[in-house]
Amino acid sequence: LENILGKALEKAPERRYPTVAALAADLNRFVRHQPVEARQASVADRSRKFVRRHRAAVALGLVTAAALIAATAVTSAQMVEAQRQRDLARLQRDRAVDQEERAIASSGFMDFLLENIATSGRSYTTLELLDRARVLLDKAETGDPRFAARMMVDLSTHYYRLRDRTQQLTLLTRANELATAAGDLETAASADCWLALTQAFDGEIAAARVHLERSAQLLTRLPDAPVALRIRCLVAESNLARRTGQVDSALGFARTAIGLSSAAGDTLSYRHQAALNELAGALGSAGRFREALDVTRSSIRLLQGTGHDSTSTMAVERYNEA
């Protein structure tokens, strides 16, 4: 109204309404909530007036638009979830096939190893058997590097228990190279975590940290990494943390490993026992010896219950108990 009145009272005739009818027309436009000629209406002003003239239609349009947006959002979310479930199912299927193939290959390798040594007609020590298996794996590299890498990681654990660091580290390093070249991220990460654990145990802190950082990068590319692999890497993280004075972090890593193992129902395996052993070590480093003793005895009961009374692992746990 101020604009209309101002235009009607302009001193310059050319800026006033040319006729009374023009003034009346502008007043009528104002009453009908239409843009008036007395000023140049902005886009916002025109839109606001349009909404006032067509409230019902605009409200219905907004409701319809909101419903369409909501429906699109729900549909998109369902589509993304369906894709995620499909990818997860494929990953689980591929892993199941991979594990079956690995089990068959491992069984075949053991048969071949036994046949290979049976012809000699003499008995072998554990170390001699391991060395013979290592030689056979060296020959398997060119034929199936993924299988060779996985078996090398498995074989290295036996050298670890026998405290043969040279052969263990040699196998793990070669397994890491083969797995990386073959794109087997899981085996490469496993080798890295074993290397980190061994190097931390031997006081090679910088080297252990490098392998743990590399394994962490690989695990980010394995969204559904096997529980066994995650437990092994957590134990390595804990071991390195307590050897660098970060006892609270070590306790956290060890307890997380035990929690994962328990949640997966994997409480009778060597992995679970290793996690218990690491927790006891972290508790000992924290000066909490009574708790460490309780955890060590839990580990001993586990070994007894699974028929491992006369193993080197039991000897280590008895030493820790003492």
Side-chain angles (χ1 to χ4, degrees), residues 198-238:
T198 306
Q199 290 165 335
F201 189 87
D202 291 342
E204 299 176 14
I205 303 303
R209 188 168 283 120
V210 168
H211 284 293
L212 272 181
E213 289 173 354
R214 190 159 61 185
S215 70
Q217 293 173 355
L218 292 173
L219 286 173
T220 61
R221 298 164 62 185
L222 291 167
D224 193 34
V227 172
L229 174 57
R230 290 156 60 194
I231 291 171
R232 183 175 302 124
C233 293
L234 284 166
V235 168
E237 291 269 16
S238 176

Side-chain angles (χ1 to χ4, degrees), residues 114-264:
L114 292 174
E115 288 177 6
N116 194 269
I117 64 175
T119 56
S120 67
R122 73 177 185 87
S123 59
Y124 285 80
T125 66
T126 300
L127 191 57
E128 286 174 332
L129 284 173
L130 292 176
D131 289 342
R132 187 60 185 162
R134 181 169 49 80
V135 171
L136 292 176
L137 281 178
D138 288 340
K139 296 178 180 179
E141 283 187 24
T142 54
D144 191 348
R146 287 170 61 92
F147 166 73
R150 292 174 178 181
M151 290 303 296
M152 285 177 181
V153 172
D154 292 344
L155 199 62
S156 73
T157 64
H158 297 288
Y159 281 107
Y160 175 79
R161 292 167 192 162
L162 292 174
R163 301 294 188 266
D164 187 340
R165 290 287 189 270
T166 301
Q167 292 300 343
Q168 182 204 1
L169 293 176
T170 299
L171 280 169
L172 287 173
T173 301
R174 185 58 184 151
N176 201 317
E177 294 170 353
L178 289 172
T180 300
D184 187 349
L185 304 183
E186 186 177 314
T187 302
S190 181
D192 273 320
C193 287
W194 266 115
L195 282 165
L197 178 63
T198 306
Q199 290 165 335
F201 189 87
D202 291 342
E204 299 176 14
I205 303 303
R209 188 168 283 120
V210 168
H211 284 293
L212 272 181
E213 289 173 354
R214 190 159 61 185
S215 70
Q217 293 173 355
L218 292 173
L219 286 173
T220 61
R221 298 164 62 185
L222 291 167
D224 193 34
V227 172
L229 174 57
R230 290 156 60 194
I231 291 171
R232 183 175 302 124
C233 293
L234 284 166
V235 168
E237 291 269 16
S238 176
N239 199 284
L240 179 61
R242 69 183 170 97
R243 294 181 190 281
T244 54
Q246 303 173 55
V247 179
D248 288 341
S249 295
L251 288 169
F253 288 132
R255 287 198 171 105
T256 302
I258 291 172
L260 282 176
S261 184
S262 299

